[in-house]
Amino acid sequence: MDIARSDIVKSTAGRDKGKPFFVLEVEGDFLLLADGKTRKLERPKRKKRKHTAFLAHSASRAAGKIRSGEKLTNSELRRTLAQFGGEGNPDQEG
């Protein structure tokens, strides 16, 4: 399955292994990922595509904002990703 912008992926390697992320951008073999807590929108994680696994196409409001380029907040990302195995309280800053 091809990973596209605004999809939700799970990290399969590294210290963030098992955590869900939103795909903010696709740059060849690399993805820019954010989860709103450890990796915020201001500093997304650059990760190789082969070190991620596709979880879902999201129809959430946050995904729509990523696709359209609207302003998005870290709390919106956390709230949406909490449904996909995010840990702890989705609105608690870490």
Side-chain angles (χ1 to χ4, degrees), residues 24 41 61-63 65-66 70-74 76-77:
L24 301 180
L41 290 165
R61 184 176 179 147
K65 286 185 174 185
I66 292 171
E70 289 180 53
K71 185 160 173 49
L72 180 65
T73 64
N74 288 308
E76 288 175 301
L77 287 183

Side-chain angles (χ1 to χ4, degrees), residues 5-92:
R5 193 171 179 207
S6 80
D7 285 348
I8 297 174
V9 297
K10 179 174 71 169
S11 173
T12 59
R15 62 177 68 178
D16 57 4
K17 183 177 181 177
K19 294 184 181 178
F21 291 93
F22 264 106
V23 177
L24 301 180
E25 291 290 332
V26 177
E27 298 175 343
D29 286 340
F30 290 92
L31 305 173
L32 291 180
L33 308 174
D35 66 358
K37 187 172 183 179
T38 57
R39 279 299 177 166
K40 300 194 180 209
L41 290 165
E42 299 79 28
R43 283 199 61 184
K45 170 78 176 158
R46 188 172 185 251
K47 196 163 188 86
K48 284 191 175 186
R49 184 185 300 251
K50 69 180 181 178
H51 294 150
T52 62
F54 176 81
L55 273 181
H57 289 293
S58 181
S60 69
R61 184 176 179 147
K65 286 185 174 185
I66 292 171
R67 283 190 293 271
S68 68
E70 289 180 53
K71 185 160 173 49
L72 180 65
T73 64
N74 288 308
S75 64
E76 288 175 301
L77 287 183
R78 288 193 305 272
R79 207 171 301 124
T80 304
L81 289 175
Q83 302 166 8
F84 292 93
E87 299 150 7
N89 185 349
D91 279 333
Q92 183 178 357

